Amino acid sequence: ERVAEAIMFWIHYETKWLQRVIDEANNLASKRPLMLLFKTNNFICNDMQGNYARFDGVDDYAPPASQATLTTCYRIVRNTLISKGYRGSKSEIDDYCLNGVFSDHGSRYLNHRLYKFLSLLNLEDFHPDLKIGILNDYDLETCGTTDDSYHHFQISLPRIRLL
């Protein structure tokens, strides 16, 4: 069930995650001033990862994905969702299979969704004591700042200074 739920959170990232976080922060801001800071997803060094998606033995995923990989992914995701009582449209599952990957492409895709969502907010709809921002540490990260392709402990201090 956790896998199906995680997939649904990715598909409905804006409503199941971002909007819920903002709504909760808005409620808290009515009690005291609050700064809500979203952090970008990390840069992922694809060169250090090798094959980063495997579906039933199909391990050739690297954008652009092969049709065999996407077809296998679609089948697995659809069956996973159905088995737990969730529904996802063909376009939502296709989007997940193409862009919900643990690679820099997937990280950039979620960052784009975050920026787009926040750009569409009307801040006048929120409590005046709620401030919303983005910590963009993605732009600080490179293959040289990670030992495992996605954690960037080497630049922890500069990232903290950005706060």
Side-chain angles (χ1 to χ4, degrees), residues 3-94:
V3 172
E5 193 170 290
I7 292 168
M8 291 306 291
F9 265 85
W10 189 95
I11 288 172
H12 300 288
Y13 178 57
E14 292 80 0
T15 56
K16 285 191 170 284
W17 182 250
L18 298 176
Q19 188 63 53
R20 287 173 59 186
V21 169
I22 287 175
D23 290 344
E24 183 62 28
N26 194 46
N27 289 336
L28 291 171
S30 67
K31 298 175 180 76
R32 63 183 174 279
L34 184 71
M35 171 66 161
L36 174 61
L37 191 61
F38 288 95
K39 181 200 164 306
T40 55
N41 291 284
N42 283 1
F43 166 78
I44 297 176
C45 182
N46 294 340
D47 293 342
M48 295 175 76
Q49 274 194 307
N51 294 321
Y52 40 79
R54 289 180 175 83
F55 303 107
D56 282 356
V58 180
D59 63 0
D60 64 344
Y61 189 90
S66 72
Q67 191 55 52
T69 299
L70 293 175
T71 300
T72 302
C73 175
Y74 178 85
R75 179 180 47 77
I76 291 170
V77 170
R78 183 177 163 274
N79 291 342
T80 299
L81 294 177
I82 289 171
S83 73
K84 299 303 178 186
Y86 293 107
R87 306 193 113 210
S89 70
K90 178 165 180 8
S91 65
E92 289 171 335
I93 295 172
D94 285 345

Side-chain angles (χ1 to χ4, degrees), residues 126-140:
F126 300 103
H127 194 281
D129 286 335
L130 175 62
K131 306 298 182 225
I132 300 173
I134 299 177
L135 172 63
N136 178 13
D137 63 350
Y138 175 94
D139 289 344
L140 297 175

